[in-house]
């Protein structure tokens, strides 16, 4: 069944440009900060622990608030929360750029994460409601995915250039005019939100427990390797986060108007997409971390050289997105996902095999090309699957569910692979043979996660929907 769509604006290409720009900003902010971290630490006298939180604060807030953002978009308006998310992103970037202390910068990064959590599900929900399932939606998601790849590529280059020419603050301030313009133009180029549903509540208790519980869970997964997994603070935070999430489940089951309909978990595409987004981030998503370390510690490259090394794979990723778009015209998302994840598993394993055999880029290139093609194919197809069979009124929270799984998968996968890398390193220095071999082991672990994704993709099956209710959720799966 096709999901009913909202009235399309008179300028659909401009609307899609705004939606794609949202993903470009989110992807850009994920990579542009890395090159500037060294200068941030020196300028603000930030120690290593605080510097990690310049990155982690964004991840924690983003992962913890996605369900809130998805529900708010569904209940209060997708266009409205696109614009609010962009405005929050712009203001937080402005404050971050003028920060004079470590904790103000960390707080600004956390608010950026909240803005992204409001923006991401609203953007994806707009695509899934403006464009019917099939070729129109596949095309829109392909353009959206290309914007994501472009943001990753631009971040690695722009971060180095801006930091060198204008200082660390410029990597935050450059986002302000882009996000601000999108917030204003969204009022003209995006279609009006439909009338608000009467008698719908916001479920504040559920909102509080899932936001705090989710944020605490992501925080624990991010900090676990440094705190120690058996440390009392790690176990206490993990237990508290699980208790809060268990309370969320109880609240939602008793709520007359829940934040999240658990019936959505019976939608096979969304259920599979949540596993796929977790495995995607645990395999493709960790490549920047481990390869950047190997390039600098093993090959002796500068940060700018390491950043430049990520440009070719990002460009190849856009080719993978185009391949996915064309394959989806004649093949099912299940097949595209299986091919993409299989290519990723082989490519990541190929890179892991080639890393110790020279300090040049050429031996790595075959594996990098293969994993990048697989990355582009998988990214597009998994978000198509996440939106299939989900009614328009639930697209925001469904997008938030899949994106929350993505953030948890990224934090958990990275934590597991860091432990695997450190098991070989022990107390050896970062550039020692043992430490570098640990990074290779982590790459093989990432390849295994991608291979598990192939299994999930091959088990993907559609299910009939019972549309006797307004929400049109599956009666049996």
């Amino acid at each position: 069944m096709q999901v009913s769509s909202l009235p399309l604006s008179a300028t659909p290409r401009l609307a899609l440009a705004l939606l794609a720009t949202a993903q470009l900003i989110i992807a850009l902010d994920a990579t542009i900060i890395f090159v500037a971290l060294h200068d941030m630490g020196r300028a603000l006298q930030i120690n290593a622990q605080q510097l990690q939180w310049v990155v982690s604060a964004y991840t924690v807030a983003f992962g913890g608030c996605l369900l809130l953002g998805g529900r708010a978009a569904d209940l209060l308006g997708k266009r409205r929360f696109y614009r609010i998310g962009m405005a929050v992103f712009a203001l937080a970037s402005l404050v971050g750029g003028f920060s004079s202390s470590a904790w103000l910068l960390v707080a600004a990064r956390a608010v950026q994460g909240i803005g992204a959590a409001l923006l991401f599900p609203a953007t994806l929900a707009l695509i899934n409601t403006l464009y019917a399932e099939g070729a129109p939606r596949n095309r829109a998601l392909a353009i959206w995915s290309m914007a994501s790849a472009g943001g990753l590529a631009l971040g690695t280059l722009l971060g180095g250039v801006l930091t060198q020419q204008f200082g660390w603050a410029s990597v935050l301030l450059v986002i302000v005019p882009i996000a601000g313009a999108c917030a204003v133009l969204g009022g003209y180029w995006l279609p009006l939100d439909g009338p608000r549903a009467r008698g719908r509540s916001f479920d504040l208790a559920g909102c509080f427990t899932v936001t705090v519980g989710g944020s605490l869970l992501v925080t624990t997964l991010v900090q676990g390797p440094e705190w120690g997994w058996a440390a009392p603070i790690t176990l206490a935070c993990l237990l508290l986060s699980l208790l809060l999430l268990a309370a969320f489940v109880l609240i939602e089951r008793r709520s007359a108007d829940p934040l999240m309909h658990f019936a959505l978990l019976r939608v096979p595409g969304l259920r599979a997409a949540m596993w796929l987004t977790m495995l995607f981030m645990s395999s493709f998503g960790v490549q920047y971390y481990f390869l950047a370390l190997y390039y600098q510690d093993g090959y002796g490259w500068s940060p700018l050289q390491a950043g430049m090394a990520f440009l070719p794979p990002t460009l190849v990723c856009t080719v993978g997105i185009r391949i996915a778009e064309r394959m989806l015209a004649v093949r099912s998302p299940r097949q595209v996902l299986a091919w993409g994840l299989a290519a990723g598993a082989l490519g990541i394993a190929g890179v892991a095999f080639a890393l110790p055999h020279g300090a040049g880029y050429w031996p790595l290139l075959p594996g990098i090309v293969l994993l990048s093609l697989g990355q582009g194919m998988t990214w597009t197809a998994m978000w198509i699957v996440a939106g299939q069979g989900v009614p328009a009124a639930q697209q925001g929270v469904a997008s938030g569910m899949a994106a929350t799984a993505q953030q948890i998968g990224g934090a958990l996968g990275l934590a597991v692979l860091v432990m695997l890398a450190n098991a070989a390193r022990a107390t050896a220095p970062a550039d020692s043979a043992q430490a570098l071999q640990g990074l290779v082991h982590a790459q093989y672990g990432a390849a295994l996660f991608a291979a598990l994704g192939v299994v999930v993709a091959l088990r993907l099956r559609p299910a009939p929907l019972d549309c006797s209710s307004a929400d049109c959720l599956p009666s049996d799966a």
Side-chain angles (χ1 to χ4, degrees):
M1 171 188 172
Q2 289 185 346
V3 178
S4 59
S5 60
L6 298 173
L8 193 58
S9 75
T11 53
R13 291 185 178 179
L14 295 176
L16 184 56
L18 284 182
L19 300 176
T21 302
Q23 186 58 21
L24 183 145
I25 289 174
I26 292 172
L28 179 70
D29 199 61
T31 56
I32 198 172
I33 200 78
F34 287 110
V35 178
L37 286 175
H38 178 71
D39 285 9
M40 286 179 180
R42 293 180 59 185
L44 299 181
Q45 298 182 339
I46 303 176
N47 61 38
Q49 177 69 16
Q50 293 171 327
L51 200 60
Q52 178 188 353
W53 272 102
V54 174
V55 177
S56 299
Y58 178 86
T59 303
V60 169
F62 187 19
C65 297
L66 276 163
L67 274 180
L68 168 63
R71 181 58 170 166
D74 285 337
L75 199 61
L76 303 177
K78 298 172 179 63
R79 183 181 81 159
R80 181 174 292 108
F81 269 83
Y82 173 94
R83 299 183 69 193
I84 290 173
M86 279 293 188
V88 169
F89 218 114
L91 289 173
S93 300
L94 183 65
V95 172
F98 287 103
S99 295
S100 57
S101 68
W103 291 111
L104 182 58
L105 178 60
V106 169
R109 288 284 292 165
V111 177
Q112 274 189 323
I114 294 172
L118 300 178
L119 182 61
F120 184 90
T123 299
L124 197 55
L126 279 166
I127 291 176
N128 286 334
T129 50
L130 290 175
Y131 302 93
E133 287 185 15
R137 186 181 298 176
N138 294 351
R139 176 62 175 165
L141 282 169
I143 294 172
W144 177 79
S145 299
M146 288 180 190
S148 179
L152 293 174
L154 189 60
T156 58
L157 294 177
L158 196 59
V161 172
L162 288 176
T163 302
Q164 185 169 326
Q165 296 296 325
F166 303 104
W168 65 266
S170 60
V171 302
L172 293 166
L173 296 176
V174 71
I175 295 173
V176 176
I178 304 172
C182 287
V184 173
L185 292 173
Y188 298 95
W189 292 355
L190 296 177
L192 292 171
D193 293 319
R196 299 185 194 180
R198 295 182 179 274
R200 306 296 294 272
S201 65
F202 202 72
D203 186 14
L204 291 177
C207 173
F208 173 81
T209 52
V210 75
T211 301
V212 177
S215 298
L216 188 58
L217 178 60
V218 177
T219 300
T220 307
L221 295 175
V222 169
Q223 289 292 107
E226 180 159 343
W227 287 343
W229 291 108
I233 187 172
T234 304
L235 297 176
C237 288
L238 185 60
L239 178 61
L240 181 56
S241 67
L242 294 177
L243 288 174
L244 285 168
L245 293 175
F248 168 70
V249 173
L250 292 176
I251 291 168
E252 296 306 283
R253 290 191 180 280
R254 297 177 181 180
S255 175
D257 192 12
L259 180 71
M260 187 184 88
H261 287 281
F262 286 104
L264 283 171
L265 293 174
R266 298 202 303 269
V267 179
L270 178 59
R271 192 169 60 232
M274 292 175 69
W275 283 108
L276 289 167
T277 57
M278 290 182 70
L279 291 168
F280 178 93
M281 289 302 293
S282 299
S283 53
F284 298 105
V286 300
Q287 295 306 299
Y288 276 86
Y289 181 86
F290 290 110
L291 289 180
L293 288 177
Y294 205 103
Y295 290 157
Q296 295 178 79
D297 294 334
Y299 294 168
W301 294 356
S302 69
L304 186 56
Q305 286 175 311
M308 290 288 291
F310 288 110
L311 180 58
T314 308
L315 296 177
V316 175
C317 182
T318 64
V319 177
I321 293 168
R322 293 298 302 270
I323 291 173
E325 181 189 355
R326 294 187 179 185
M327 285 185 67
L328 287 164
V330 295
R331 303 284 185 182
S332 68
R334 170 177 172 266
Q335 293 172 303
V336 176
L337 282 166
W339 279 104
L341 287 159
L346 291 173
I348 294 169
V351 170
F353 178 79
L355 278 172
H357 296 292
Y361 195 69
W362 292 108
L364 307 179
L365 199 56
I368 284 175
V369 168
L370 193 57
L371 79 87
S372 300
L373 289 173
Q375 181 178 357
M377 294 170 65
T378 304
W379 176 262
T380 302
M382 73 183 185
W383 292 112
I384 289 172
V385 168
Q388 284 183 335
V390 178
Q394 298 289 334
Q395 282 287 347
V397 74
S399 301
M401 290 166 65
T404 299
Q406 178 190 8
Q407 294 300 309
I408 292 174
L412 181 59
L414 184 60
V416 169
L417 295 176
V418 165
M419 280 197 304
L420 180 61
N422 288 340
R425 174 181 174 178
T427 58
D431 58 353
S432 66
Q434 297 94 321
L436 296 176
Q437 187 59 42
L439 296 177
V440 172
H441 290 168
Q443 282 290 94
Y444 281 121
L448 180 59
F449 281 133
L452 291 175
V454 177
V455 177
V456 175
L458 291 176
R459 291 175 58 85
L460 180 61
R461 295 289 186 276
L465 296 183
D466 175 11
C467 291
S468 58
S469 69
D471 287 323
C472 192
L473 295 172
S475 57
D476 187 24

